[in-house]
Amino acid sequence: MAIPAQGAKYRGSIHDFPDFDPSQDAEALYTAMKGFGSDKEAILELITSRSNRQRQEICQSYKSLYGKDLIADLKYELTGKFERLIVGLMRPPAYCDAKEIKDAISGIGTDEKCLIEILASRTNDQMHQLVAAYKDAYERDLESDIIGDTSGHFQKMLVVLLQGTRENDDVVSEDLVQQDTQDLYEAGELKWGTDEAQFIYILGNRSKQHLRLVFDEYLKTTGKPIEASIRGELSGDFEKLMLAVVKCIRSTPEYFAERLFKAMKGLGTRDNTLIRIMVSRSELDMLDIREIFRTKYEKSLYSMIKNDTSGEYKKALLKLCGGDDDAAGQFFPEAAQVAYQMWELSAVARVEMKGTVHPANDFNPDADAKALRKAMKGLGTDEDTIIDIITHRSNAQRQQIRQTFKSHFGRDLMADLKSEISGDLARLILGLMLPPAHYDAKQLKKAIEGAGTDEKTLIEILATRTNAEIRAINEAYKEDYHRSLEDDLSSDTSGHFRRILISLATGNREEGGEDRDLAREDAKVAAEILEIADTPSGDKTSLETRFMTILCTRSYPHLRRVFQEFIKMTNYDVEHVIKKEMSGDVKDAFVAIVQSVKNKPLFFADKLYKSMKGAGTDEKSLTRAMISRSEIDLLNIRREFIEKYDKSLHQAIEGDTSGDFQKALLALCGGED
């Protein structure tokens, strides 16, 4: 069994079996495989209940007792995925890795994903053991085999990683952090072409702690995460390898949680990946992987394996998983700590919010008005010109074009556009022509009027706008509809949901910093109302009002601190508890507020993804998000989108829309990541 560092807590899911007797276990396995058929249940139960060190002793005892090779007998008796899993567990970890790499480079084609996963994630010691195991098992040099099967910068980085010479975390030099940050910047963003050698040297050799500081500094210096630069500067398998290295440096358990999720999501299961990770991490960091999985994907690893696999294969995987984090009363404090660190990071790393639409240089409203009139005059409409002008001007410039159009031609540009274009394109172009507050006011009015209420739109707008934006919306609503937004919300909603919306619609959220003492009090209220505090106190109605007040009126920096205090107090993430304990529109509103506080660009990245995933597209949601965020933070949304969904927003729009509507959306998107 892997021995944790001095003072470190063991985070594997498989432990040494108490009162272990290798001869007795060898006998039990022999009996399970003797005669016609085999007792697979007994085999999986025994092997998944022993540590790897104990399994090696069983192999030796089996050989001594029966003169036979246990792994060979298991291979003969078992089949398919179950056989691959059990045999993988029986090999020492380094030999298991060696076998995976041998399989990845043998035969036609190379399994680059397997090479990336293993070589990007192993420690120096694990790498040295792997090289020795490969030599012992195959009488070949691993480095030579990798060189013979790969090429270019991808090959060079694999060879660097294979040396297992990453510096230790002991000493970090601030000067070197600054120097490496500058070198990476100059090797990529500031250079015509890319100096791949600098990326290989720094990411392949520096210590993890040093590189985490380099990544923080890189974000502060350039305004973008290192991952965005890697995607922009590198390509192919080399890009994938470098991104995997960065992910493992940030958090190896998070990297594997993501790999496991992708192995099981969608149609079909990538069983080789699933088996390799469950075997290789079961005695290292499976508890951390489980807990990060639960935090990140809002479901337990256990439940996903249960729903995605079957038979003895499933039973063995679930044993390796070691427990269900969705089970009643299950604590997963390390997952909460991941969330805690995320809030801490969000408070420290002040990422600049950037839109994708900027004021046009050499702006000439007169020329634009004439070009638009020409595009709409006579037979047919020149949609390309309309799209090009309107998507490449800021909203303030569009308002000037409207005024100039009226002055020149005595005509209303909005009315002309409405008569010339239709459908989704019309909705997008006309939305861009409205001032932001009037656009939001119109969306709210549509959400309220008619049969039924569009609660999702009400929540999206009111939970994410700043005080200044909310006040501007109230004025625009009054001006356009001669009614107060508050009155319309009151007449169209009810109960706690109405109170939440009206509170948000006043635009009176505090704008100061955090108050740590008050944050602890607020966290206690949250814990009591969500019924997970040790000693609930006070009147429930009064607590509900206080909880609503906290989420709807406290400043964002203060709420981040409340969420941290909540985690320290309860070992739970407030968002997950709200989802579990609440329901309906109230739950949706509170979740939207929490997500907006945590990471607003990620909130909108999720909105955009959901508007395009599955059969059919929610064009209204897609249009609303693209219009409303294009000058605020759409560039940040793009980065969150590709980070979470492994494809760019540009690709998603391209794959899910068509025609002029697609052209306009891609212009607003502003580029391919």
Side-chain angles (χ1 to χ4, degrees):
M1 185 167 71
I3 299 170
Q6 192 74 33
K9 193 176 173 186
Y10 178 66
R11 300 298 297 154
S13 54
I14 298 293
H15 300 265
D16 279 332
F17 189 74
D19 304 320
F20 172 61
D21 184 336
S23 297
Q24 193 176 309
D25 284 351
E27 196 177 322
L29 287 171
Y30 182 76
T31 304
M33 293 186 283
K34 205 167 118 184
F36 188 73
S38 54
D39 185 350
K40 296 181 181 68
E41 189 83 35
I43 293 169
L44 84 85
E45 185 62 38
L46 192 149
I47 289 174
T48 58
S49 300
R50 306 297 185 269
S51 67
N52 192 276
R53 179 185 61 77
Q54 290 175 330
R55 291 182 209 125
Q56 303 318 309
E57 289 187 51
I58 295 168
C59 280
Q60 289 169 346
S61 292
Y62 193 90
K63 190 95 167 189
S64 301
L65 288 169
Y66 306 107
K68 301 175 75 166
D69 181 64
L70 175 55
I71 289 180
D73 279 6
L74 287 166
K75 275 185 181 176
Y76 181 78
E77 291 291 332
L78 309 177
T79 57
K81 297 173 285 195
F82 182 54
E83 177 215 325
R84 188 179 179 95
L85 176 61
I86 293 297
V87 169
L89 287 168
M90 292 308 300
R91 290 192 176 103
Y95 284 81
C96 195
D97 280 351
K99 174 73 166 64
E100 290 291 325
I101 287 184
K102 183 73 172 132
D103 290 348
I105 56 181
S106 294
I108 300 165
T110 305
D111 182 354
E112 289 86 2
K113 286 183 179 176
C114 173
L115 293 181
I116 290 168
E117 180 196 298
I118 293 175
L119 298 183
S121 64
R122 300 315 191 240
T123 64
N124 287 349
D125 285 346
Q126 288 167 338
M127 208 68 84
H128 300 153
Q129 289 163 18
L130 163 60
V131 170
Y134 192 91
K135 187 85 171 172
D136 182 48
Y138 305 110
E139 296 179 352
R140 295 178 63 85
D141 180 61
L142 177 53
E143 184 178 323
S144 300
D145 280 4
I146 291 225
I147 288 170
D149 210 63
T150 58
S151 60
H153 298 299
F154 178 58
Q155 177 200 89
K156 287 174 189 167
M157 185 61 176
L158 289 176
V159 169
V160 166
L161 293 171
L162 207 52
Q163 306 314 302
T165 53
R166 189 174 293 287
E167 294 163 356
N168 294 321
D169 279 343
D170 300 344
V171 181
V172 175
S173 157
E174 284 185 26
D175 290 341
L176 189 56
V177 167
Q178 295 288 342
Q179 185 61 54
D180 281 351
T181 302
Q182 192 60 32
D183 287 348
L184 286 172
Y185 189 38
E186 288 174 1
E189 297 285 333
L190 293 182
K191 190 178 176 66
W192 180 260
T194 308
D195 181 358
E196 289 87 353
Q198 278 285 32
F199 278 86
I200 289 170
Y201 176 73
I202 294 170
L203 293 181
N205 290 286
R206 298 289 192 238
S207 75
K208 284 191 169 187
Q209 184 56 35
H210 173 87
L211 284 170
R212 287 182 198 120
L213 294 172
V214 168
F215 299 161
D216 290 345
E217 193 59 36
Y218 192 91
L219 181 62
K220 287 178 199 166
T221 303
T222 67
K224 63 163 72 172
I226 188 71
E227 292 90 337
S229 290
I230 288 171
R231 287 192 185 99
E233 299 295 327
L234 312 179
S235 62
D237 292 323
F238 181 46
E239 175 198 338
K240 288 172 191 162
L241 173 59
M242 297 307 257
L243 287 171
V245 169
V246 169
K247 282 176 182 174
C248 288
I249 284 159
R250 288 196 188 278
S251 168
T252 305
E254 186 170 356
Y255 170 72
F256 282 112
E258 190 179 302
R259 291 279 295 156
L260 284 167
F261 180 73
K262 286 175 182 169
M264 291 182 281
K265 77 167 183 174
L267 281 169
T269 305
R270 296 171 183 85
D271 293 293
N272 286 357
T273 301
L274 179 55
I275 291 166
R276 186 169 56 245
I277 297 171
M278 295 302 289
V279 169
S280 67
R281 311 314 292 186
S282 59
E283 294 185 47
L284 294 174
D285 51 7
M286 184 56 70
L287 297 186
D288 293 326
I289 292 167
R290 256 173 54 185
E291 291 159 343
I292 290 169
F293 194 100
R294 179 66 184 80
T295 296
K296 198 165 182 178
Y297 302 111
E298 297 172 22
K299 65 177 82 175
S300 68
L301 175 58
Y302 189 97
S303 65
M304 199 158 182
I305 291 170
K306 197 173 177 181
N307 294 331
D308 215 63
T309 58
S310 60
E312 281 86 10
Y313 175 53
K314 172 171 84 174
K315 288 177 187 173
L317 286 170
L318 292 177
K319 287 275 288 179
L320 293 182
C321 184
D324 186 359
D325 298 310
D326 285 336
Q330 183 78 33
F331 260 6
F332 46 104
E334 276 71 19
Q337 288 308 311
V338 170
Y340 182 95
Q341 285 152 16
M342 188 163 66
W343 312 153
E344 195 67 62
L345 182 64
S346 71
V348 173
R350 296 281 179 231
V351 182
E352 188 184 351
M353 295 298 154
K354 291 181 180 178
T356 53
V357 174
H358 308 280
N361 296 323
D362 305 320
F363 172 57
N364 185 336
D366 190 63
D368 284 348
K370 285 175 182 173
L372 287 170
R373 176 71 179 135
K374 186 181 175 185
M376 293 186 284
K377 205 171 165 187
L379 256 146
T381 307
D382 180 359
E383 284 90 353
D384 284 347
T385 295
I386 294 170
I387 291 167
D388 186 54
I389 291 173
I390 290 174
T391 59
H392 291 96
R393 305 295 182 269
S394 68
N395 193 277
Q397 290 176 333
R398 291 182 208 125
Q399 303 318 311
Q400 286 182 253
I401 295 169
R402 280 180 72 177
Q403 290 170 342
T404 306
F405 195 90
K406 189 95 168 188
S407 302
H408 271 322
F409 307 111
R411 301 171 67 91
D412 179 17
L413 176 55
M414 294 286 279
D416 279 8
L417 286 167
K418 206 179 275 189
S419 69
E420 291 292 329
I421 54 178
S422 60
D424 295 323
L425 178 65
R427 191 182 294 117
L428 180 64
I429 294 295
L430 292 169
L432 288 167
M433 291 306 301
L434 284 170
H438 289 266
Y439 177 72
D440 279 347
K442 187 175 182 181
Q443 299 305 303
L444 290 168
K445 181 68 175 161
K446 282 184 174 179
I448 292 168
E449 68 186 4
T453 306
D454 179 357
E455 291 86 359
K456 286 184 179 175
T457 298
L458 296 180
I459 290 167
E460 179 192 311
I461 294 173
L462 295 175
T464 61
R465 302 310 192 246
T466 64
N467 284 344
E469 287 167 342
I470 293 280
R471 288 167 196 154
I473 290 168
N474 276 297
E475 287 174 24
Y477 197 94
K478 189 87 172 169
E479 184 185 328
D480 293 345
Y481 307 111
H482 310 292
R483 294 176 59 84
S484 108
L485 173 59
E486 185 178 324
D487 289 346
D488 279 2
L489 288 170
S490 290
S491 63
D492 207 63
T493 57
S494 59
H496 284 309
F497 183 55
R498 174 170 62 195
R499 291 169 63 201
I500 293 164
L501 293 180
I502 289 172
S503 179
L504 293 171
T506 58
N508 283 326
R509 186 177 291 284
E510 295 161 2
E511 294 186 343
E514 64 182 62
D515 178 332
R516 290 204 177 213
D517 292 335
L518 182 60
R520 279 189 281 275
E521 286 299 310
D522 288 346
K524 190 178 176 202
V525 169
E528 289 178 359
I529 195 62
L530 295 169
E531 298 181 343
I532 56 173
D534 292 333
T535 52
S537 63
D539 172 57
K540 187 161 183 182
T541 306
S542 162
L543 282 170
E544 284 172 351
T545 303
R546 284 176 67 193
F547 183 59
M548 188 192 76
T549 303
I550 289 162
L551 284 186
C552 295
T553 67
R554 300 288 195 245
S555 72
Y556 273 29
H558 179 82
L559 282 173
R560 287 192 191 100
R561 181 59 62 188
V562 172
F563 299 162
Q564 286 179 310
E565 294 298 332
F566 184 89
I567 286 165
K568 283 204 285 190
M569 201 174 283
T570 68
N571 272 329
Y572 284 98
D573 172 33
V574 71
E575 181 185 338
H576 294 150
V577 180
I578 289 170
K579 285 177 178 174
K580 190 177 174 186
E581 300 294 332
M582 296 186 164
S583 61
D585 297 326
V586 170
K587 177 193 81 173
D588 292 344
F590 282 155
V591 166
I593 293 167
V594 171
Q595 288 177 341
S596 183
V597 170
K598 286 178 177 181
N599 185 336
K600 200 177 287 186
L602 180 57
F603 171 82
F604 280 106
D606 286 339
K607 281 275 176 194
L608 285 165
Y609 178 76
K610 285 169 186 168
S611 75
M612 291 182 279
K613 79 166 186 174
T617 305
D618 181 353
E619 288 87 1
K620 288 181 182 176
S621 290
L622 175 57
T623 299
R624 186 171 58 246
M626 293 296 287
I627 289 172
S628 65
R629 311 315 295 181
S630 60
E631 291 185 54
I632 299 172
D633 55 3
L634 190 52
L635 190 61
N636 306 79
I637 292 166
R638 268 171 43 184
R639 289 171 186 161
E640 295 291 350
F641 193 99
I642 196 169
E643 189 63 34
K644 182 161 182 182
Y645 298 110
D646 261 358
K647 67 174 169 184
S648 67
L649 178 58
H650 190 281
Q651 286 171 324
I653 291 168
E654 223 169 22
D656 213 66
T657 59
S658 59
D660 292 323
F661 180 51
Q662 182 192 81
K663 284 180 193 172
L665 286 171
L666 291 177
L668 288 182
C669 184
E672 167 65 283
D673 296 305

